[in-house]
Amino acid sequence: MIKKTDAIYAAPLQEMIDFKFDERVVAVFPDMIQRSVPGYGMIISNIGILAAKYAQAGSHCYDLGCSLGAATLSMRQRIKEPECDIIAVDNSPAMLERGRELLARDAAAAVPVTMICADIQEVPIENASVVVLNFTLQFIPPAQRPELIERIYAGLRPGGILILSEKIAFSEPARQHFHQELHHDFKRANGYSDLEISQKRSALENVMIPETLACHQERLKSAGFSSVEVWFQCFNFASMVAIK
Ligand SMILES: Nc1ncnc2c1ncn2[C@@H]1O[C@H](C[S@+](CC[C@H]([NH3+])C(=O)[O-])CC(=O)[O-])[C@@H](O)[C@H]1O
Ligand SMILES: O=C(O)C(=O)Cc1ccccc1
């Protein structure tokens, strides 16, 4: 398959429709996420490194909101513990269908993967050593986030980790402006026009709700996680590791 460039928001739109992970997004997703999220490739590689360190023998590793399975493939390549498997979940049928093709194409590894088309809020989390929420929590309505984080905590073994990557917000307007402008400069440098940037921003407004780092850290701590470490940040994108 030819690599398709994201031009979804390139032409002026008559009406703004909320952003959706449909066939059009799936077809350009690797290009879209790479050009939109600073450090995405580095985050994916390091999810494999973290999973290799924290995966426990005989446990499950979860990739919640797996999209095309980039984090799953990275973990599958690195995990060396015996009797581990990966459960990858996404509720977009189009994403999962393409994700399954990519998974089948990837060289077979010792770690089995099950891809499930389901809402991550309804999937049981049990006997887990590694749980990944790589830019997924931001799409869950804020009021429902504490329950999901608490369920993940309950399903983790002691010493297990949650890797949480998110677009973040800043409570001080000047800092919000600073990081948002730099993110837009990053997108412009990757070939997006001002129109594409602003149309996508409007489409995401009701769907993707970033919170501050402090808000994430407090929620993780109140769920019971013993430590929360920010291991990556570039502009308004960050990734944390929370250890049970
Ligand atoms: N309630 C839900 N249940 C299941 N899936 C959901 C839900 N809500 C959203 N999704 C799914 O979460 C994914 C978010 S993308 C993750 C990138 C990936 N992790 C990556 O490492 O490449 C992030 C982004 O595009 O900014 C989409 O595939 C949605 O269908
Ligand atoms: O594109 C953006 O502005 C983002 O904030 C990141 C993103 C990347 C891919 C899908 C949805 C949001």
Side-chain angles (χ1 to χ4, degrees):
M1 200 171 116
I2 323 144
K3 290 207 164 60
K4 276 188 73 182
T5 304
D6 168 27
I8 291 178
Y9 293 99
L13 296 172
Q14 298 299 328
E15 57 161 342
M16 195 42 70
I17 303 165
D18 280 349
F19 185 88
K20 222 176 133 220
F21 292 97
D22 57 13
E23 288 82 357
R24 283 181 72 209
V25 167
V26 169
V28 300
F29 190 71
D31 177 70
M32 172 188 276
I33 196 142
Q34 185 73 39
R35 287 164 65 211
S36 306
V37 176
Y40 175 75
M42 201 191 91
I43 294 169
I44 291 294
S45 308
N46 284 301
I47 287 174
I49 306 285
L50 283 161
K53 186 172 172 69
Y54 286 96
Q56 299 176 20
S59 69
H60 299 302
C61 299
Y62 290 87
D63 182 4
L64 304 177
C66 61
S67 297
L68 301 178
T72 289
L73 295 180
S74 177
M75 290 197 281
R76 182 164 84 155
Q77 215 175 31
R78 295 268 175 210
I79 292 172
K80 296 286 176 268
E81 288 297 314
E83 308 294 317
C84 275
D85 69 355
I86 302 172
I87 300 168
V89 185
D90 204 288
N91 66 352
S92 157
M95 276 291 184
L96 248 263
E97 193 186 320
R98 179 81 186 122
R100 287 202 170 103
E101 285 173 18
L102 295 172
L103 182 73
R105 198 200 278 179
D106 192 61
V111 187
V113 177
T114 311
M115 281 194 161
I116 305 172
C117 192
D119 189 325
I120 57 169
Q121 294 174 278
E122 278 155 25
V123 167
I125 316 279
E126 49 205 14
N127 188 27
S129 58
V130 177
V131 178
V132 173
L133 277 170
N134 200 39
F135 303 108
T136 304
L137 191 67
Q138 58 197 14
F139 292 100
I140 302 294
Q144 296 163 26
R145 294 178 191 180
E147 193 191 327
L148 176 62
I149 297 297
E150 283 158 20
R151 239 169 26 80
I152 291 171
Y153 180 81
L156 275 167
R157 288 185 182 181
I161 58 164
L162 166 63
I163 304 171
L164 175 63
S165 313
E166 290 273 294
K167 184 174 192 173
I168 54 171
F170 296 83
S171 44
E172 303 91 331
R175 293 186 69 208
Q176 174 63 31
H177 182 76
F178 173 84
H179 289 284
Q180 185 166 296
E181 285 295 295
L182 283 162
H183 177 230
H184 289 175
D185 290 343
F186 169 86
K187 291 185 77 162
R188 246 175 251 118
N190 285 327
Y192 285 118
S193 66
D194 290 336
L195 179 69
E196 282 176 290
I197 294 169
S198 84
Q199 291 195 140
K200 188 182 183 198
R201 195 180 156 196
S202 309
L204 281 168
E205 213 158 82
N206 303 318
V207 184
M208 189 183 90
I209 299 159
E211 294 169 308
T212 62
L213 263 183
C215 176
H216 286 294
Q217 285 161 330
E218 277 159 30
R219 186 191 293 126
L220 292 164
K221 283 288 174 79
S222 15
F225 285 97
S226 62
S227 77
V228 181
E229 205 57 53
V230 178
W231 68 272
F232 173 90
Q233 191 186 332
C234 180
F235 310 140
N236 44 355
F237 290 81
S239 189
M240 289 151 267
V241 185
I243 307 178
K244 178 163 176 172

